[in-house]
Each structure stands twice: as structure tokens, then as C-alpha cells.
Amino acid sequence: MTSTTSPRLATTDSALDDLIAKESDIFLRRQPVSRGLHDRARHSLAGGATSNWQIAEPQAVWMSHGHGSKIYDVDGTEYSDFHGGYGVSLAGHAHPAIVAAVEARIGRGTHFAQPTLDAMAVAEELTRRFGLPQWRFANSGTEATMDAVHLMRAATERDLIIKVEGCYHGHHDSVQVSVMPEDDEIGPADRPTPLPGNSGIPQAIRDLVNVVGFNDLPAVERALNEYDGKIAGMIVEPVMMNAGIIPPDIGYLAGLRDLVHEHGALLTFDEVKTGFTTGPGGVTATSGVTPDLLCLAKALGGGLPTAAIGGNAELMGMIADGRYEQVGTFNGNPLAMASTRAMLTQVLVPEAYDHLDRLSTRMRDGIESVIAEHDLPWHVVTAGAKGCITFLPDPIRNFRDFLQIDDQLGQAHWLMQHNGGVFLPPWGKIEQWLISVQHTDDDVDRFIGNVAKLATRVAPPALR
Ligand SMILES: Cc1ncc(COP(=O)(O)O)c(C=O)c1O
């Protein structure tokens, strides 16, 4: 990826490097116990962590516990948690309704590989929120999008799919294409080159994926025409959330639905990130565009691992009669379903969304005042409880625009938030903040205060 320095900032690349080096040093000095655990863990855990996403420079942070809006690392440092476990912790931590539901279930057995009443209650509530009649459960976003792609292929008896450049849909083969491609390999914007998103993804799989830019309806139409009768469907995040936050143009989502249907293909919305964080019924409800298939995970389970696939009667009928085998030992796990039911019926109630909206506005207003005060070429993007600072002056519309954002600024921001008591997802510009139902004005103000500190370091009269 490129590292560009905006002409309107007083910083230079090397000044930003110095800032990052100083903040990294503070970061490491704050957590000797984490460091010790990391050194020990490297012998038994590959890379000293349980997922490669936990290995961020300068070092993974080992956590002890969480309560409300706060989390505590093993060194005893408190953070306002805006990381939210990559978008899971919309309930905050140890929410009383989730704790009660899990406690009530755990003493009565946690796994039977048979349906329980909670699973039906959850499915009924998902229908009410998202407008799709039938549901199945899985254990991760990856499993949900994998089933959706399989189902699109099974229903149409076609192999090709369309995927958006820069969208992440999990780590199964079909969608590990052009996830975070390097800008010197991506090819022309109107015909992006399908690039492997990981090692171990065969060329034969990549050949099945047509990559298009976000907000580019003509590219979708071209692919559908070029491979007429061969495209099973398209999978897309209806608001892109693995490249900061990129909203759809007005009419884009409805345009996608109409185009794929004209060609006998199907549309899947991946609402793994957006599902509950942008509103009670996700982007599906706010946009009024109901896809053929919908994937949910992350916040759904109230902190326990679970995922859901919703679909229209015809597609879900293929599961019902076994034409597509949607399976999994832990699907609809009773403990996860108990937590999910509490999340949907007791935590994510209308007043909770009022609270999230109020805090989101406070965050946006506060950061915008800092930006205005320091005349910085940045802007704020929010989508319900999610938000980010885009380190560019103008709104971005696709992954190519996203590549223009300065990586260094994202890293400096992450480090300064961390050292200022705010936990955010690493990878700077890629991820977003998540506000939980237990966050307070003080948490938001702490975040804004750290942005102000960053602003004084990078704005004129130059880096100090
Ligand atoms: C939009 C989207 N879809 C799917 C996934 C995969 O979810 P999981 O990590 O639960 O497999 C993610 C994970 O970040 C995601 O952001």
C-alpha cells in the first residue's frame, strides 16, 4: 500500500515515523506483563497469538477482563473499548442480560446438536428485523458467507460469482480474492485483477471470481453480460467496512439487486459487520433493499460465537429438502442461542439504539470540531455505532480511493489512542470504532481528547 503525505499537513513522512517510534516505545513500556506472556506464548501458540489479526505492531496486548465499556489488560491498564472485539461487543462487556441468560443456560447443558426453543425465538426475531422468512445458524461470519456462496451456486447451477474489490467476507477460498490487494498489482479500475487474498488460494478458484469496484454498477452489468448465464450471484457488504467505512451511492444497492435478477443471478448481503451496528435491521432495513441471502455474525451472539444465514423461501427450501446440505456440529449451539436471544430481545431494544445514536453524534461533532480547529484535511464517517476518521478531505467511494489514505496517520492515531486509554482495532485506517450500549459520554470524550492530541502533533506549526 502507498504512504502519501497530504500537502495540507505540516508533517513529513519522517516526522510521522518519529512520532510512531516514540508512541510505540511508550506502548511497549506500558505493558511489561503482556510482553512476558508474549515471549512465553511464542513457544506454544503460533506467532504468540490465537489469530493473525491479534498480532499487531508493536505487540499483541494480553487481556484480563472487561466490564461495561471498559477492558483491562494483564498489566492492569484500563481502556475504553472501542475495538469491540472487531465489531462484536455491541452489548459492551458482561452485560447483565447476557450474563443472566448464559448463567441460566449453562447449568442445563450447553450442547445437544438438536434445536432448542431459543433458536426458534432468534429466527423469528431475525425475520421481524430483516424481513427474510427463514434462517439457519453457523458459528462464524466465514461459515455464513461460505454457505451463501454455495447456496447461490447450488440454486443457479452456475459457478462464477461477482465480488467487490476490498471487501472481506471471511477466510474461505471463494471470497479470498482481492481483499486487500497491493496498489501496484490491482490493474485497471474498471476491470480489477483478481488477486489472491492469502496464500493457499488456487488459481482455479480465482478464475471463478469476477472482481468489480464498489459503487460501480456498469462494471457489474459488464460482468453479467460478458459471462451471461454463468454468474451465480454477487456477494457484497452493503456498506463497505473493511476499508474504513464506504457508504453505497444512492440507488447502488437497488441497482445491484435489479441487475443480478435481470440475469437470473442472486444477491447476498454480507452484514456480518453492519448487521446490528448500523441499526436494528442493518443496512437491509435502512436501504429497503432485501437481498436473496443475508449473512450475520459478530454482534449477533452478544459476545458468543454464532452466525446466521437468512434467505427467501425458495432458497431456504433447498436447505429444507436437502438439495443443499447446510450443516455443522455447533450450529444453533444452545449457549450461543441463549445469549443471542437475550442480545436481540433485551439488549438491542429501541432505547439502546437512541443511546448509540446520541453517542455517535457526540463523537462526530467532537472530532469534526478538532478537525476544523486545526484545519486538517480529514473527515468523519459514521454508520450507527460504527465510525472512523478518513484521513483525506473528500468522501471516498471505493477501494482505489481508500488506497490514497496515509497508512502512517492511521498507525499514529491507533498508537495515540492506545496510549491515551482507548482500545481500537489495529491496522489504522482499515478498521472502525464501535460504540457499545454501555458506553458513556466520558468514553467518547476520552476518544475525542486523543484525536485532539494527535491533531496538535501533526497540524501546523509542525510536528513537535
Ligand atoms: C464483512 C465481514 N464478513 C465476514 C467476516 C468473517 O467473519 P469471521 O471472522 O467471524 O469468520 C468478517 C470478519 O471480519 C467481516 O468483516
Side-chain angles (χ1 to χ4, degrees):
M1 251 181 246
T2 48
S3 175
T4 52
T5 299
S6 165
R8 289 167 61 189
L9 282 181
T11 53
T12 59
D13 274 348
S14 69
L16 262 180
D17 284 346
D18 287 350
L19 174 59
I20 289 169
K22 271 187 210 143
E23 292 296 324
S24 297
D25 192 46
I26 297 170
F27 182 109
L28 287 172
R29 276 193 279 115
R30 281 159 56 95
Q31 39 199 342
V33 179
S34 249
R35 192 166 206 169
L37 288 179
H38 173 73
D39 288 345
R40 179 176 149 202
R42 274 186 304 152
H43 299 289
S44 54
L45 290 170
T50 61
S51 158
N52 276 40
W53 289 348
Q54 296 164 7
I55 309 172
E57 289 298 326
Q59 182 202 291
V61 184
W62 286 66
M63 285 299 162
S64 158
H65 60 286
H67 199 82
S69 61
K70 305 292 193 304
I71 49 174
Y72 301 84
D73 70 17
V74 288
D75 283 280
T77 306
E78 176 200 274
Y79 306 86
S80 289
D81 181 18
F82 285 89
H83 182 308
Y86 284 120
V88 167
S89 309
L90 187 57
H93 297 281
H95 190 290
I98 306 281
V99 171
V102 168
E103 278 178 356
R105 178 74 252 174
I106 205 154
R108 298 194 302 126
T110 60
H111 188 75
F112 316 111
Q114 293 296 313
T116 54
L117 188 57
D118 286 336
M120 188 166 62
V122 169
E124 287 168 357
E125 176 61 13
L126 292 178
T127 293
R128 191 184 71 77
R129 287 175 183 243
F130 293 90
L132 284 162
Q134 291 202 346
W135 297 83
R136 271 293 176 89
F137 299 107
N139 304 289
S140 66
T142 296
E143 289 182 31
T145 64
M146 181 182 70
D147 272 322
V149 170
H150 289 169
L151 204 41
M152 291 198 294
R153 288 179 168 149
T156 57
E157 298 183 350
R158 302 171 179 179
D159 287 344
L160 306 189
I161 60 166
I162 301 177
K163 177 195 174 285
V164 169
E165 187 175 52
C167 271
Y168 178 71
H169 300 295
H171 58 280
H172 61 94
D173 292 12
S174 297
V175 292
Q176 271 291 343
V177 180
S178 296
V179 174
M180 192 55 66
E182 300 287 335
D183 62 358
D184 53 351
E185 296 176 337
I186 50 183
D190 61 343
R191 238 173 231 277
T193 308
L195 294 164
N198 200 347
S199 51
I201 309 299
Q203 179 66 47
I205 297 286
R206 278 178 273 153
D207 290 344
L208 299 177
V209 182
N210 263 276
V211 179
V212 297
F214 194 65
N215 280 322
D216 189 351
L217 282 176
V220 174
E221 187 166 24
R222 193 210 64 233
L224 288 163
N225 283 328
E226 209 162 288
Y227 298 95
D228 197 25
K230 296 199 171 107
I231 292 184
M234 172 164 181
I235 183 164
V236 63
E237 295 178 81
V239 171
M240 268 183 86
M241 281 210 182
N242 285 290
I245 297 179
I246 310 182
D249 289 348
I250 292 167
Y252 175 66
L253 299 175
L256 288 181
R257 177 199 54 202
D258 296 347
L259 272 176
V260 296
H261 286 175
E262 275 164 31
H263 289 261
L266 299 165
L267 182 64
T268 295
F269 280 174
D270 175 352
E271 291 228 50
V272 165
K273 268 193 162 174
T274 56
F276 301 96
T277 57
T278 59
V283 184
T284 296
T286 49
S287 68
V289 178
T290 307
D292 302 297
L293 290 167
L294 176 64
C295 304
L296 300 167
K298 294 206 188 252
L300 170 68
L304 268 77
T306 200
I309 309 115
N312 64 37
E314 204 182 327
L315 290 168
M316 298 310 273
M318 293 188 62
I319 295 177
D321 65 19
R323 278 175 291 156
Y324 175 67
E325 300 273 8
Q326 196 274 335
V327 295
T329 301
F330 281 101
N331 288 5
N333 168 264
L335 192 62
M337 288 294 107
S339 166
T340 304
R341 184 178 185 175
M343 179 70 170
L344 297 184
T345 60
Q346 295 174 54
V347 179
L348 297 183
V349 293
E351 306 79 63
Y353 280 101
D354 293 343
H355 178 69
L356 293 170
D357 286 346
R358 196 182 62 73
L359 290 187
S360 175
T361 305
R362 185 181 183 91
M363 184 76 111
R364 175 192 274 273
D365 291 351
I367 299 175
E368 280 177 350
S369 330
V370 172
I371 291 173
E373 187 189 332
H374 295 272
D375 193 23
L376 290 162
W378 307 342
H379 67 283
V380 182
V381 190
T382 56
K386 289 274 201 170
C388 68
I389 305 172
T390 300
F391 297 105
L392 285 177
D394 300 318
I396 62 172
R397 292 184 61 246
N398 55 42
F399 182 74
R400 305 283 166 126
D401 294 346
F402 167 79
L403 285 178
Q404 302 312 311
I405 303 172
D406 190 336
D407 294 334
Q408 298 282 77
L409 271 173
Q411 179 70 0
H413 176 233
W414 179 66
L415 286 165
M416 290 194 73
Q417 287 287 2
H418 191 91
N419 295 338
V422 165
F423 201 63
L424 266 182
W427 324 120
K429 68 184 194 179
I430 296 171
E431 286 286 339
Q432 313 81 39
W433 68 66
L434 176 71
I435 301 171
S436 87
V437 303
Q438 297 193 71
H439 276 63
T440 62
D441 288 359
D442 286 349
D443 293 308
V444 169
D445 293 349
R446 190 188 280 193
F447 192 112
I448 298 166
N450 288 333
V451 177
K453 280 188 217 153
L454 174 69
T456 58
R457 305 288 288 274
V458 299
L463 198 66
R464 286 175 268 270

